Amino acid sequence: SSALRAATPVVRRYSKTGAAMTAMTGSGTGPTAVVANPIFASFRTASKEYIIMYGGQTTTAVSDALWLISIDSATTYTWTDLTPTTSCGARANAGGLVMNNNKFYVIGGCSGGNGQCKSSLHSDTIVFDFNVNSLGTKATCSATAGAGAQPRGLADHAVVYHKSFGGIDRAVVFGGTKLLDNDDDIHTDELFVINLATNTWTIYEPTPATGHFPGIPSPRIEFGYTKFRSQMLVFGGHNVRDGTLWALDLNTFDWSVVEAKKCSSCNFAVLPTPVYRQVMWAVEETNFQDKVHMFGGRVQTAQGGTGDNALLYTMDMTNTTATLSGTTNLLSGVLSVKPNSNGQAVFNDLR
């Protein structure tokens, strides 16, 4: 749930069988009001799936609370407060990922509330330690300034995890709002790779795409992204007017464009109307019948207008092109308002 309003947060579950989204039943003591732009990640143990949520903006400030959502069944979940006793700082609009070593990484973000993100951009890494075997205990945290080509500040960017051929745990960072040395901020198309063991940043010059759609993605913020096999997929973003689906090879750092068509037999066409603040997720099947889904966000038109979006787009990624197999209004008749997505949703593949 992403609208910034005085209401209790609700977790909703998408069922690909019935192509519907329904509210789940929560228990435990969770946040008392919805927060915008928190940092999400998901992980699983041998017996259960979890979503971890940190920070975000309330109606008055940016939070430093750390919450765990345990998915107990297809219809129920439980909140647990893991907020460290000693705070490592409040954050919103950051990137987050969970490692298998019981660590949750929050990279960059801002700490200024009420739209004052520009004056409070960060690029440090906050690492939360938690024990998956004792998830009811408080986490501990540490905030570390990075080395190397780390920017002064970064927010509204993409972060995905990828292990290098040499076995190095890395975070790949793209785009976002970057703080310059003169305290101005710009939208960036830069690509960074962080060695998570040393918190060392390296800036990469990616190889541009060739063919029908040459180049690299334009500078952007608040865009949809997901890791798909050994690629990071990027779509849309604030002030992005084209419907191009970009793919970054996480091994070679080559950009390419996933050429999309609206049906298996028709000519190539652009993907859905550009949106921002949406959620994207990939479902990688063992039989390679792969799908990429995109839901929600804000629609923007060539004339600069915007509107709420409650559509689910599904793309068949089985071949080298993506086939747009249809759209579904998941929230029709479910919510009195469509999601205005002040923050992105989070996906957890519960199979």
Side-chain angles (χ1 to χ4, degrees), residues 239-322:
N239 292 329
V240 174
R241 297 286 185 256
D242 66 88
T244 304
L245 178 63
W246 292 91
L248 177 72
D249 188 310
L250 296 172
N251 293 313
T252 64
F253 301 114
D254 296 339
W255 281 109
S256 62
V257 170
V258 181
E259 297 186 2
K261 47 189 177 180
K262 293 185 177 178
C263 64
S264 59
S265 60
C266 57
N267 295 326
F268 288 109
V270 296
L271 279 161
T273 301
V275 292
Y276 64 100
R277 295 178 180 168
Q278 74 274 35
V279 60
M280 288 179 65
W281 69 94
V283 179
E284 301 170 4
E285 303 287 0
T286 56
N287 59 1
F288 284 89
Q289 300 297 308
D290 299 323
K291 299 287 191 299
V292 171
H293 303 279
M294 184 170 66
F295 169 70
R298 297 276 290 174
V299 176
Q300 51 193 9
T301 66
Q303 292 74 33
T306 61
D308 298 325
N309 176 43
L311 295 179
L312 171 76
Y313 292 93
T314 301
M315 289 163 278
D316 186 338
M317 304 292 289
T318 305
N319 302 310
T320 56
T321 59

Side-chain angles (χ1 to χ4, degrees), residues 205-254:
E205 292 292 338
T207 303
T210 58
H212 294 101
F213 304 95
I216 65 174
S218 60
R220 63 193 62 204
I221 64 171
E222 299 178 330
F223 49 93
Y225 68 92
T226 185
K227 184 178 179 183
F228 172 66
R229 298 197 178 274
S230 60
Q231 297 177 318
M232 176 171 64
L233 301 180
V234 170
F235 181 80
H238 200 272
N239 292 329
V240 174
R241 297 286 185 256
D242 66 88
T244 304
L245 178 63
W246 292 91
L248 177 72
D249 188 310
L250 296 172
N251 293 313
T252 64
F253 301 114
D254 296 339

Side-chain angles (χ1 to χ4, degrees), residues 77-288:
Y77 64 94
T78 302
W79 289 97
T80 303
D81 185 356
L82 300 184
T83 305
T85 303
T86 302
S87 175
C88 285
R91 293 290 187 275
N93 302 75
L97 54 89
V98 168
M99 294 283 294
N100 293 329
N101 58 358
N102 297 343
K103 288 183 171 60
F104 174 41
Y105 293 80
V106 173
I107 298 168
C110 63
S111 56
N114 299 320
Q116 300 302 312
C117 192
K118 173 180 176 180
S119 62
S120 59
L121 287 171
H122 301 271
S123 61
D124 58 352
T125 298
I126 300 177
V127 182
F128 294 93
D129 272 294
F130 57 91
N131 186 347
V132 296
N133 298 314
S134 182
L135 285 171
T137 60
K138 299 290 186 180
T140 59
C141 67
S142 60
T144 307
Q150 180 188 36
R152 288 187 63 206
L154 198 64
D156 295 315
H157 50 286
V159 177
V160 298
Y161 167 76
H162 187 66
K163 187 181 288 290
S164 71
F165 286 132
I168 299 173
D169 293 321
R170 305 185 300 183
V172 179
V173 179
F174 168 72
T177 300
K178 177 184 175 181
L179 183 64
L180 301 177
D181 290 339
N182 62 0
D183 291 334
D184 285 340
D185 66 288
I186 60 170
H187 296 176
T188 182
D189 58 3
E190 289 178 321
L191 179 68
F192 296 94
V193 177
I194 307 171
N195 183 323
L196 292 174
T198 63
N199 198 19
T200 300
W201 292 60
T202 303
I203 188 168
Y204 274 76
E205 292 292 338
T207 303
T210 58
H212 294 101
F213 304 95
I216 65 174
S218 60
R220 63 193 62 204
I221 64 171
E222 299 178 330
F223 49 93
Y225 68 92
T226 185
K227 184 178 179 183
F228 172 66
R229 298 197 178 274
S230 60
Q231 297 177 318
M232 176 171 64
L233 301 180
V234 170
F235 181 80
H238 200 272
N239 292 329
V240 174
R241 297 286 185 256
D242 66 88
T244 304
L245 178 63
W246 292 91
L248 177 72
D249 188 310
L250 296 172
N251 293 313
T252 64
F253 301 114
D254 296 339
W255 281 109
S256 62
V257 170
V258 181
E259 297 186 2
K261 47 189 177 180
K262 293 185 177 178
C263 64
S264 59
S265 60
C266 57
N267 295 326
F268 288 109
V270 296
L271 279 161
T273 301
V275 292
Y276 64 100
R277 295 178 180 168
Q278 74 274 35
V279 60
M280 288 179 65
W281 69 94
V283 179
E284 301 170 4
E285 303 287 0
T286 56
N287 59 1
F288 284 89

